[in-house]
Amino acid sequence: MAESHDAVEVIHAKRDRGTLSTSQIDWMVDAYTRGVVADEQMSALAMAILLNGMDRREIADWTAAMIASGERMDFAGLSRPTADKHSTGGVGDKITLPLAPLVAACGVAVPQLSGRGLGHTGGTLDKLESIPGWRALLSNEEMLAQLEDVGAVICAAGDGLAPADKKLYALRDVTGTVEAIPLIASSIMSKKIAEGTGALVLDVKVGSGAFMKSVDTARELAEVMVALGKDAGVNTVALLTDMETPLGLTAGNAIEVAESVEVLAGGGPADVVELTVALAREMLAAAGRDDVDPADKLADGTAMDAWRRMIGAQGGDPDAALPVAKESHVVTAASDGVLTRLDALSVGIAAWRLGAGRERKEDPVQAGAGVVWHARPGDEVRAGTPLFTLLTDTPDRFDRALAALEGGYDVAPVGTAFEPAPLVIDRVG
Ligand code: URA
């Protein structure tokens, strides 16, 4: 039983730039989860943390208190090692879909507890739910059985895992306190440590479409998370990857599933393939299996076999036609030239406004909605040819989506030199 404290005293301490004791943190997180500390008190503390920060010891204590608020899973009984990947969220970021079966095909089990999207970044579960029959909710026993049998599972995190984070994340979302490094790091790592994975690869996104807009803040977040993971016995590394430009050629739900299947079939956009293989290599190395090359498993079809079994095990039909939006609108290039910029945030907001994402947690998403872009930075475009296709079931959404795309891309004169930015910016670990 945690020593009792007074919420206002704890808030004062952080407001006045003090350091919270382990006992204060344990009590605050536990009392908030039990409803003894009120939402407005936790909001005030979250804002004080956002403004004044926390040191590494405080962040570790906060993470431990969130883990202690719920259950911990244990995969030690599986016949193969486990590795998970977490992305801090981006636009067109469908990497989990090809990655989980790819890593499973290489002999490492992937327990992926994922979330639904909120705001302009898509959610993995929303994407998979566009596959007819697929279900996100599994019991712990079903999850373990699928991990042993198929080697990969992507499902919703149960209510028992870090319930303090569920409550706090919802509060941060409506109080302007999401972007605090101590709170993001503890939120992500409490769930991943409680999930019980043996190894973890973090994909920390940097750029307009990400939480972290600069490489320096992304590196700081990555360093804090890697230290939290390692201290908890999880072999953790992080890649900092570009999110100035959206990934691949699609942002939406069904259209991102289709693009992921192309990658598993040995095709797909080069950047999606590159990042999938880079993250798979990191996961395999972290799990002690760097003797297998994931690129071979994409090429020989075994990753596709694992995908089909993974989808089928959760009731999905991997051969079923995916939902298609009822309406489409094409934006064409105004002149010949070179696409030199495609802004991830603009594309993400457009896809969200078309119905691919949700405004509030309880809103439904449209499976077929989203944005397809027909060129990537560096590609030549011709006047009158399609640049974007906007997809939705509700055409009154087109105007606001078009407004989001306005100013979100540049077409420079033919012959303009273009220097592509690296996709993987740095590695922390
Ligand atoms: N994802 C999470 O799970 N938590 C955060 O705080 C931010 C992103």
Side-chain angles (χ1 to χ4, degrees), residues 66 86-89 121 165 168-169 172 177-192 211 221:
M66 298 227 287
H86 180 87
S87 157
T88 56
T121 61
D165 177 63
L168 180 56
Y169 191 70
R172 288 165 56 210
T177 52
V178 168
E179 293 88 352
I181 285 182
L183 297 178
I184 298 175
S186 55
S187 165
I188 292 172
M189 294 308 291
S190 62
K191 287 174 285 196
K192 292 295 163 185
F211 276 129
L221 175 64

Side-chain angles (χ1 to χ4, degrees), residues 8 18 20 50 192 250 261 287 340 345 347 354 390-391 396 400-401:
V8 177
L20 304 183
L50 182 135
K192 292 295 163 185
T250 58
V261 171
T340 51
L345 182 61
V347 172
L354 288 164
L390 278 53
L391 302 163
D396 56 341
R400 292 195 66 229

Side-chain angles (χ1 to χ4, degrees), residues 80-426:
R80 37 186 154 181
T82 50
D84 194 4
K85 184 262 324 188
H86 180 87
S87 157
T88 56
V91 179
D93 185 2
K94 69 274 300 171
I95 302 294
T96 293
L97 276 57
L99 180 65
L102 173 59
V103 171
C106 296
V108 170
V110 184
Q112 251 291 332
L113 298 179
S114 293
R116 292 194 163 71
L118 194 63
H120 74 275
T121 61
T124 298
L125 300 182
D126 294 325
K127 295 172 207 206
L128 286 168
E129 279 175 343
S130 65
I131 301 174
W134 188 85
R135 66 190 172 95
L137 282 176
L138 297 185
S139 67
N140 288 357
E141 293 69 35
E142 285 175 315
M143 187 182 172
L144 265 174
Q146 187 174 327
L147 272 179
E148 187 59 51
D149 189 31
V150 179
V153 60
I154 304 174
C155 64
D159 287 342
L161 211 74
D165 177 63
K166 260 202 182 91
K167 196 169 171 191
L168 180 56
Y169 191 70
L171 184 75
R172 288 165 56 210
D173 201 40
V174 293
T175 55
T177 52
V178 168
E179 293 88 352
I181 285 182
L183 297 178
I184 298 175
S186 55
S187 165
I188 292 172
M189 294 308 291
S190 62
K191 287 174 285 196
K192 292 295 163 185
I193 295 166
E195 168 198 282
T197 184
L200 177 65
V201 177
L202 299 160
D203 181 3
V204 180
K205 300 286 185 201
V206 193
S208 80
F211 276 129
M212 298 293 133
K213 309 291 181 199
S214 77
V215 174
D216 286 348
T217 52
R219 189 175 288 114
E220 188 186 339
L221 175 64
E223 283 169 357
V224 172
M225 291 196 292
V226 167
L228 285 171
K230 286 187 172 166
D231 287 350
V234 180
N235 195 4
T236 310
V237 297
L239 296 185
L240 307 191
T241 72
D242 178 73
M243 192 31 72
E244 204 55 46
T245 303
L247 275 166
L249 294 168
T250 58
N253 296 307
I255 53 177
E256 289 198 45
V257 171
E259 191 171 282
S260 304
V261 171
E262 279 174 34
V263 170
L264 288 159
D271 61 328
V272 179
V273 177
E274 179 188 339
L275 190 53
T276 303
V277 171
L279 289 165
R281 289 198 173 120
E282 292 289 353
M283 288 168 76
L284 293 169
R289 287 299 312 266
D290 48 7
D291 52 314
V292 195
D293 185 359
D296 294 343
K297 303 289 178 190
L298 271 186
D300 71 9
T302 45
M304 177 67 101
D305 294 343
W307 160 263
R308 296 175 62 81
R309 294 201 297 131
M310 178 182 86
I311 295 303
Q314 288 170 246
D317 178 356
D319 296 315
L322 292 166
V324 175
K326 294 193 180 95
E327 307 285 341
S328 64
H329 177 94
V330 175
V331 178
T332 55
S335 56
D336 288 358
V338 180
L339 185 71
T340 51
R341 185 179 68 93
L342 178 59
D343 177 56
L345 182 61
S346 307
V347 172
I349 292 175
W352 176 33
R353 289 182 177 173
L354 288 164
R358 49 173 69 78
E359 202 108 15
R360 287 161 310 172
K361 272 215 300 286
E362 52 285 358
D363 292 346
V365 297
Q366 293 183 20
V371 179
V372 179
W373 47 106
H374 301 280
R376 291 192 51 78
D379 289 348
E380 285 194 4
V381 300
R382 298 196 67 91
T385 60
L387 266 187
F388 300 98
T389 302
L390 278 53
L391 302 163
T392 185
D393 293 335
T394 37
D396 56 341
R397 292 172 178 263
F398 282 134
D399 283 349
R400 292 195 66 229
L402 287 166
L405 282 178
E406 233 174 69
Y409 59 96
D410 293 329
V411 175
V414 177
T416 303
F418 176 79
E419 188 61 46
L423 183 54
V424 178
I425 298 163
D426 204 354

